[in-house]
Amino acid sequence: MSTTRDYLLKDSSRVSLCERQVGNFAVQFWGVRGLIPTPGSSTDRYGGNTACVEMFVAGKHLIFDGGTGLRSLGKSLLFRDAPLSTHLFFTNSQSNRIQGFPFFAPAFVANNNLHIYGSAASNGASIKQCLGDQMLQPHFPYPLQVMQSELAFCYLTPNRVITLDDVTITTALINHTQKSIGYRITWQNYSVAYITDLSNSVDDVELANVIQLVQGADLLIANSTYTELTPRNHQNDDLPWQAAVDLASKSEVKRLVISHHHPDDNDDFLDGMQTKVKSVFDSAVLAHEGLVLNIDKF
């Protein structure tokens, strides 16, 4: 006889790193879109959820960004035998980074602990205010206070360093217009950089900050560059991946994952983009939902 647990686990096609046999440093992608979710047959292979990346590092559970992929991740964590303690880091407070938070089921479970990190938004609002505002009527039926887990908020500024035992998370300002924070996660000799708001036009100070954060990382996760909300112009000279590849080359990273795909980039287009990227940076791959990488086994 099927139970509610069986249904939810079948409905969620992936399993959290907490439940997997993984190494001491692993990464899994739950949402790889920028701007807006794009469900449909043309995005099945790469996925249509907005940004969410899970990391399991030396026993610590970390989540980066809370787009709609956070909902799927939450479902996979809902029936753990032990209380959940997780650290949720936001790169900025735009809707595609926070819209999955109201649907993160573990936040509604007593005895769970969520440590939430984020910088001030462009209007000065804190990450707590941004998350809470989207849960107020008429946008959402339940306010932040309905969440029964323990929520601890940490307000970040660029260049802040967070230490979780022997795991270090370093921050830097990536994009001053969007007030976006980038992260470098380090454990022993391994490191992953998570950069989500690269632009084709960046001043020297910002570029120096980014390179310093990313330099020599085992893995760089970076966005496909886009600057407009208008439909993508898919032409031969359209190279949305160029900024990420340039950064990976300048910073001498070992591997590159390009994520935050534009809503207009369907599976076939991304297949072609994958081929072009690998022709200039062989250790690169395009992110897709369910992609798991074991950093300490590279």
Side-chain angles (χ1 to χ4, degrees):
M1 182 181 214
S2 295
T3 64
T4 301
R5 169 189 165 90
D6 293 332
Y7 169 75
L8 287 172
L9 290 181
K10 287 177 182 177
D11 187 43
S12 178
S13 59
R14 280 163 281 280
V15 178
S16 166
L17 294 173
C18 291
E19 311 301 325
R20 290 177 178 268
Q21 296 296 319
V22 295
N24 290 308
F25 198 155
V27 177
Q28 181 168 195
F29 291 81
W30 292 84
V32 301
R33 290 284 159 184
L35 297 178
I36 190 170
T38 56
S41 59
S42 65
T43 59
D44 276 348
R45 284 187 280 115
Y46 286 88
N49 282 304
T50 48
C52 183
V53 175
E54 179 190 24
M55 298 190 194
F56 193 73
V57 190
K60 301 292 186 297
H61 188 248
L62 315 178
I63 304 170
F64 291 85
D65 280 329
T68 56
L70 184 64
R71 175 179 175 271
S72 298
L73 172 55
K75 288 164 65 176
S76 74
L77 293 165
L78 194 54
F79 294 102
R80 286 170 49 83
D81 294 330
L84 174 70
S85 179
T86 190
H87 300 263
L88 176 54
F89 297 85
F90 290 93
T91 52
N92 64 48
S93 299
Q94 294 182 353
S95 62
N96 63 91
R97 313 301 169 85
I98 68 172
Q99 60 197 173
F101 183 75
F103 303 94
F104 186 53
F108 294 88
V109 177
N111 298 322
N112 286 344
N113 290 276
L114 275 65
H115 306 268
I116 301 170
Y117 307 77
S119 61
S122 55
N123 66 351
S126 70
I127 185 62
K128 182 178 182 179
Q129 182 179 342
C130 292
L131 292 174
D133 284 352
Q134 71 169 344
M135 297 178 68
L136 296 176
Q137 295 278 8
H139 309 296
F140 196 74
Y142 306 110
L144 184 70
Q145 291 75 13
V146 171
M147 291 181 165
Q148 298 178 52
S149 66
E150 182 177 341
L151 306 180
F153 289 88
C154 180
Y155 305 109
L156 298 180
T157 54
N159 304 314
R160 174 81 179 271
V161 177
I162 301 101
T163 302
L164 306 175
D165 294 332
D166 54 348
V167 178
T168 301
I169 299 98
T170 309
T171 67
L173 181 65
I174 302 304
N175 187 309
H176 72 274
T177 302
Q178 298 173 328
K179 301 297 183 184
S180 180
I181 293 288
Y183 296 96
R184 183 187 182 106
I185 304 90
T186 302
W187 173 73
Q188 295 189 357
N189 295 321
Y190 303 101
S191 59
V192 172
Y194 182 68
I195 310 294
T196 66
D197 289 289
L198 288 177
S199 171
N200 282 325
S201 57
V202 58
D203 64 38
D204 292 340
V205 174
E206 284 183 345
L207 182 59
N209 287 338
V210 175
I211 291 177
Q212 182 178 8
L213 187 72
V214 172
Q215 187 69 46
D218 293 286
L219 174 66
L220 166 62
I221 303 168
N223 61 290
S224 299
T225 304
Y226 46 84
T227 57
E228 300 178 352
L229 296 179
T230 53
R232 172 90 81 187
N233 180 19
H234 288 143
Q235 302 295 331
N236 291 334
D237 59 351
D238 185 19
L239 303 177
W241 45 267
Q242 191 65 61
V245 169
D246 287 347
L247 176 61
S249 299
K250 291 176 182 177
S251 305
E252 300 180 319
V253 303
K254 295 179 182 177
R255 291 196 178 189
L256 168 66
V257 174
I258 297 179
S259 189
H260 292 67
H261 308 312
H262 192 282
D264 290 337
D265 293 352
N266 60 28
D267 289 338
D268 291 340
F269 176 82
L270 292 174
D271 284 343
M273 182 172 155
Q274 171 80 81
T275 301
K276 292 177 182 178
V277 171
K278 289 190 72 68
S279 70
V280 296
F281 197 93
D282 185 59
S283 297
V285 65
L286 267 60
H288 62 83
E289 291 181 22
L291 174 65
V292 177
L293 299 172
N294 289 292
I295 308 304
D296 56 334
K297 296 181 180 180
F298 276 1

